[in-house]
Amino acid sequence: MRLMTTAVLLGLALPVIADEHGDNADSWYQDRYAALWAEAPWTKLDEIASHYSETVTYHASDEEASVHESKSWLGDAMKEWVAEQWVGSDLVGYRSVQINPSITSIYTQWLDRYEGGYEETSCGWYIGAKQSGGWKITNYAAIDCEEHGF
């Protein structure tokens, strides 16, 4: 009886815990992932990469899609941005479309900040997919901000 009572209580508590941690793609992306990019993101490479599947498919506008090991792909990009005196990025625009309970299409606008006060915006499209009970980025493409309503 004690085991059954414990199971029932845990079953009641789990939805609360999942909701408390924002178990949806929008909360995961905006509250947990995007926040990592605000200040010195290159120092958080491991944590940022943990939001990606092991590999990410990059959809370049002028070539076929290519698959990359996520952490090295992110690290290489960050090295280039740091060389350009990039200091961080803020999520300033966000839209998503839930395709089904395990796939969400995410459209974003970022404010990229550089040393000396220079700023520019960039936009991206992501696929967030549920994998092993958590959300992971599986696909990315840079997009034109204006064409996508940002």
Side-chain angles (χ1 to χ4, degrees):
M1 182 66 167
R2 183 182 294 164
L3 183 59
M4 186 173 183
T5 302
T6 302
V8 169
L9 290 174
L10 280 175
L12 293 173
L14 287 177
V16 173
I17 291 168
D19 187 56
E20 183 178 297
H21 294 289
D23 191 22
N24 66 64
D26 293 339
S27 295
W28 161 77
Y29 191 95
Q30 293 178 55
D31 300 338
R32 291 188 245 163
Y33 174 73
L36 295 170
W37 291 87
E39 297 298 327
W42 57 90
T43 66
K44 304 169 196 148
L45 177 58
D46 289 338
E47 191 173 0
I48 290 170
S50 76
H51 287 80
Y52 284 75
S53 63
E54 188 174 317
T55 61
V56 62
T57 302
Y58 173 62
H59 302 270
S61 62
D62 60 348
E63 56 190 69
E64 291 184 31
S66 54
V67 178
H68 303 271
E69 191 276 322
S70 295
K71 186 175 176 182
S72 63
W73 179 72
L74 288 162
D76 291 346
M78 286 183 188
K79 285 177 192 168
E80 289 179 26
W81 300 331
V82 168
E84 297 170 356
Q85 300 183 321
W86 169 66
V87 296
S89 299
D90 301 311
L91 183 64
V92 295
Y94 182 91
R95 279 192 324 272
S96 69
V97 176
Q98 186 172 357
I99 307 304
N100 65 39
S102 65
I103 297 286
T104 298
S105 182
I106 299 167
Y107 301 85
T108 62
Q109 180 181 34
W110 294 87
L111 176 66
D112 302 319
R113 294 175 284 102
Y114 295 83
E115 289 180 24
Y118 176 72
E119 298 177 337
E120 66 181 10
T121 58
S122 61
C123 292
W125 166 82
Y126 303 78
I127 289 291
K130 272 237 174 141
Q131 295 181 342
S132 304
W135 290 98
K136 300 285 185 180
I137 295 168
T138 60
N139 291 258
Y140 171 77
I143 59 174
D144 181 276
C145 294
E146 191 173 315
E147 284 180 15
H148 291 276
F150 288 110

